[in-house]
Amino acid sequence: MGRNLIMLGMAILVMTLITFIIAGFMSGISNPLAWLSLVSLIIVIVGHNKLVKRRYLIWKDSYSVGIESIDNDHKKLIHLINNLQTAIDFKTDVNFEKQTLDEVINYTQYHFTREEGLMEDNGYPEFEPHKATHKKMIDQVNELVQAYEKGEDGAIESLLTFLKTWLIKHINGTDQEYSEYLISKGVK
Ligand SMILES: [Fe+2]
Ligand SMILES: [Fe+2]
């Protein structure tokens, strides 16, 4: 509901500014109100685009764990989470929203299985605690999904925020810890 009101406010503001621009320039090219409205419209559009872009995750080289298959999984997860952000931002059809959410969750589970396999096969000493953080994450996601399926207000936004925050924190923290060990075992 909050985001709907913001979007309605933006639409009214943009329409008002366009009306002032057209009416102002029709009364004369030097009309200061027309120029002021034009500059305001540009500021509103540029500011809005910057705010929208800030909500999307961007891969950084510092996220790399030095193992190509894992980095590719993490990049794909970022891409899938951004798809969910797009589905929410553009208020797409609910089926598309559910589809993008399912893709994030399914790929997260697929990725965890791959990561856990590499850790277990190579005798990583912190395998069990790492696996436990994955399980805890899936449990938390399942709780949020239940709220979403019950139609609770803001549930999809809470899910998205959780996925974004958890993923970046995990890639930059817990996943970095196995990097040196697995590379020393010849994992690429
Ligand atoms: Fe992990
Ligand atoms: Fe990971």
Side-chain angles (χ1 to χ4, degrees):
M1 183 60 88
R3 271 192 57 73
N4 286 346
L5 278 176
I6 291 168
M7 285 176 80
L8 180 65
M10 272 289 291
I12 292 170
L13 179 62
V14 167
M15 291 305 290
T16 307
L17 288 171
I18 290 172
T19 308
F20 281 148
I21 292 166
I22 294 170
F25 282 131
M26 279 172 73
S27 71
I29 193 79
S30 58
N31 186 328
L33 182 64
W35 285 103
L36 187 65
S37 301
L38 182 61
V39 171
S40 302
L41 182 64
I42 292 167
I43 292 170
V44 166
I45 292 170
V46 170
H48 179 258
N49 284 348
K50 278 194 172 173
L51 279 177
V52 167
K53 273 188 188 157
R54 209 183 287 172
R55 289 206 295 275
Y56 286 81
L57 297 176
I58 297 168
W59 170 264
K60 293 179 189 163
D61 287 342
S62 62
Y63 294 162
S64 174
V65 294
I67 299 165
E68 199 181 354
S69 58
I70 300 290
D71 283 348
N72 287 341
D73 274 2
H74 289 158
K75 284 177 191 169
K76 174 130 187 186
L77 280 169
I78 285 177
H79 170 72
L80 293 174
I81 289 174
N82 285 338
N83 282 351
L84 179 59
Q85 178 78 65
T86 303
I88 295 169
D89 278 351
F90 290 92
K91 299 241 159 269
T92 57
D93 143 66
V94 73
N95 290 327
F96 181 71
E97 186 178 280
K98 276 186 181 160
Q99 187 192 319
T100 56
L101 177 60
D102 284 347
E103 281 172 355
V104 174
I105 295 170
N106 292 341
Y107 202 83
T108 300
Q109 283 170 325
Y110 166 80
H111 166 64
F112 285 172
T113 304
R114 182 211 292 280
E115 216 174 63
E116 288 163 15
L118 284 175
M119 288 188 277
E120 193 173 22
D121 292 349
N122 289 284
Y124 179 55
E126 295 301 309
F127 165 62
E128 287 297 343
H130 195 132
K131 189 180 172 185
T133 62
H134 287 169
K135 188 188 174 304
K136 191 176 171 200
M137 186 268 192
I138 293 295
D139 291 345
Q140 285 172 292
V141 166
N142 285 339
E143 268 180 41
L144 291 165
V145 168
Q146 277 177 20
Y148 172 64
E149 283 173 350
K150 278 185 208 154
E152 283 182 23
D153 247 10
I156 190 68
E157 286 83 3
S158 300
L159 250 168
L160 180 63
T161 304
F162 177 77
L163 288 166
K164 285 202 281 193
T165 315
W166 192 94
L167 179 76
I168 297 303
K169 206 169 151 222
H170 189 75
I171 291 176
N172 258 335
T174 318
D175 281 353
Q176 295 290 339
E177 290 167 12
Y178 61 59
S179 171
E180 203 180 330
Y181 180 88
L182 290 184
I183 291 169
S184 77
K185 294 282 176 185
V187 178
K188 291 176 189 164

